[in-house]
Amino acid sequence: MSEQRPIVVSGMRPTGRLHLGHLHGALANWVRLQEENTCFFFSADWHALTTNYHDTAIIKPAEREMFVDFIAAGVDPEKATIFVQSEVKEHAELYLLLGMITPLGWLERSPSYKEMRENITDRDLALYGFLGYPVLMTADIILYKATRVPVGVDQVPHLELSREIARRFNHHYGPVFPEPQPLLTAAPKILGTDGRKMSKSYGNTIDLGESAESTTKKIMGMVTDPARKRRQDPGNPDVCGIFYLHKVTSDAETISWVDVNCRSAGIGCVDCKKKLLEKLLPEQERMRERREALLARPGEVDALVQLGTSKARAVAARSMDEVRAAMKLKLA
């Protein structure tokens, strides 16, 4: 991979099976990005502790499943570096150093900090690690001198905080880090079975490669337009999670058919859901087959991750040599 290519960094927390939101919101984009960028895609296992500190036993098993999902979705370990965050200790060192210069007020205004504290009520999130996760996220990104970070529109404020932290570091110690630019993903937000954003934290997901029976049950039970009470009432697909899935799964003709007929009450929600399943179920089956083939060869997957982690560690070590020198923390 050429050093001249744009550098892309992104990661996911291993807190459970990946789902359709991950596929259409991130993984499909990663597969495209790996062709023309130097990509680092990682398991954010330390980030998983911010909300799953109470059940750490699930993290490592979920991590292997997650890497299987990466590869099954088309991430190529020969084109992109896949690795484990906690096995590159430089992430922790840079996190600590950035924490020394990050104002508390910057962290308290983070939109996701407020959102998750409101939505996750079954555990205490009034914790230093949860408040400070944007600093760790910044370390993850700038450690590899990332120039582009794939994000959805709702994540742009998070990246702007990382840019501010990188800017503050460069102001104090000299121009070590580029300010990463947002690389907006084309996919719309994917709604879960309850009408909220699809998220493991909310328990409203449809997992990648989930069985036909389970996928069908979840789709048929999904929340649609809450204002559409009767079959003959016109609907609004713009607020419907099923239509969001059509937009990333179905062809243009089907999307148009759903849009027109939902608004005119030409079809009911059951018709719309069945049409989605015609395309979604075969895709789920293909993903299930690829996942099972990879899970049958766990040693191969582990070796690919270990190789990627070694590559990431070498890049991170070079960056931290620069950081220590810039901060005068390194003996001449």
Side-chain angles (χ1 to χ4, degrees):
M1 293 185 291
S2 171
E3 291 290 329
Q4 302 304 311
R5 302 204 300 179
I7 299 173
V8 172
V9 176
S10 193
M12 290 189 190
R13 299 185 306 157
T15 55
R17 286 281 307 278
L18 298 190
H19 51 70
L20 295 180
H22 292 119
L23 177 63
H24 297 295
L27 286 176
N29 193 41
W30 289 7
V31 173
R32 291 188 293 268
L33 289 172
Q34 70 185 355
E35 300 300 330
E36 298 181 356
N37 301 271
T38 297
C39 293
F40 295 86
F41 300 134
F42 65 95
S43 165
D45 55 340
W46 278 334
H47 280 293
L49 297 173
T50 59
T51 55
N52 282 73
Y53 59 85
H54 63 299
D55 188 14
T56 58
I58 72 169
I59 292 176
K60 286 303 165 182
E63 184 171 83
R64 173 178 281 172
E65 292 258 3
M66 186 175 71
F67 282 123
V68 165
D69 284 333
F70 284 8
I71 298 170
V75 174
D76 186 344
E78 293 188 1
K79 296 179 180 178
T81 300
I82 59 175
F83 68 98
V84 179
Q85 177 191 40
S86 66
E87 293 186 17
V88 182
K89 305 306 181 186
E90 287 82 359
H91 285 252
E93 182 180 1
L94 185 55
Y95 169 45
L96 183 148
L97 295 174
L98 295 178
M100 300 300 179
I101 62 169
T102 301
L104 185 61
W106 290 8
L107 302 177
E108 291 174 331
R109 73 172 189 241
S110 168
S112 64
Y113 175 72
K114 298 174 184 176
E115 177 190 355
M116 293 186 75
R117 287 201 65 181
E118 290 172 359
N119 284 281
I120 301 177
T121 58
D122 62 343
R123 72 204 74 154
D124 182 14
L125 293 183
L127 303 169
Y128 163 75
F130 184 68
L131 178 65
Y133 92 88
V135 183
L136 179 56
M137 183 182 78
T138 302
D140 299 332
I141 294 169
I142 67 176
L143 187 58
Y144 300 94
K145 305 282 185 80
T147 55
R148 310 167 80 190
V149 179
V151 293
V153 174
D154 59 332
Q155 297 171 311
V156 170
H158 308 162
L159 183 59
E160 181 55 35
L161 178 53
S162 292
R163 287 163 49 81
E164 288 180 350
I165 295 172
R167 195 178 302 132
R168 189 176 178 92
F169 181 94
N170 291 340
H171 171 75
H172 284 299
Y173 307 114
V176 175
F177 298 114
E179 292 182 23
Q181 301 298 316
L183 188 62
L184 293 178
T185 57
K189 181 169 66 175
I190 304 299
L191 299 185
T193 55
D194 60 359
R196 293 186 293 175
K197 179 180 178 180
M198 190 174 288
S199 170
K200 294 187 292 287
S201 299
Y202 303 155
N204 63 358
T205 65
I206 298 172
D207 294 339
L208 296 185
E210 195 161 340
S211 71
E213 179 182 8
S214 180
T215 299
T216 299
K217 182 178 180 180
K218 287 184 177 182
I219 291 293
M220 297 307 292
M222 271 187 71
V223 171
T224 53
D225 177 1
R228 192 177 188 189
K229 304 297 184 184
R230 299 169 298 176
R231 166 65 177 79
Q232 61 268 34
D233 293 336
N236 179 9
D238 295 332
V239 299
C240 175
I242 294 295
F243 189 59
Y244 276 40
L245 287 172
H246 269 296
K247 288 195 285 187
V248 296
T249 303
S250 301
D251 56 36
E253 182 179 356
T254 300
I255 294 169
S256 177
W257 177 83
V258 170
D259 191 22
V260 170
N261 284 285
C262 176
R263 295 182 193 277
S264 65
I267 59 173
C269 295
V270 171
D271 302 314
C272 181
K273 291 175 177 180
K274 287 181 176 178
K275 196 69 174 177
L276 174 65
L277 288 169
E278 289 177 9
K279 182 69 180 296
L280 181 58
L281 290 182
E283 290 189 356
Q284 284 284 78
E285 179 59 19
R286 286 191 290 272
M287 178 63 75
R288 187 190 65 78
E289 290 175 353
R290 290 194 291 267
R291 291 189 78 261
E292 288 191 355
L294 289 163
L295 287 169
R297 307 189 304 274
E300 292 181 23
V301 174
D302 291 347
L304 290 170
V305 174
Q306 290 169 8
L307 178 61
T309 299
S310 295
K311 292 179 180 178
R313 196 177 289 127
V315 175
R318 291 195 296 270
S319 292
M320 286 310 302
D321 279 343
E322 290 184 55
V323 168
R324 296 184 204 104
M327 297 183 71
K328 306 298 190 291
L329 298 177
K330 182 177 180 180
L331 293 177

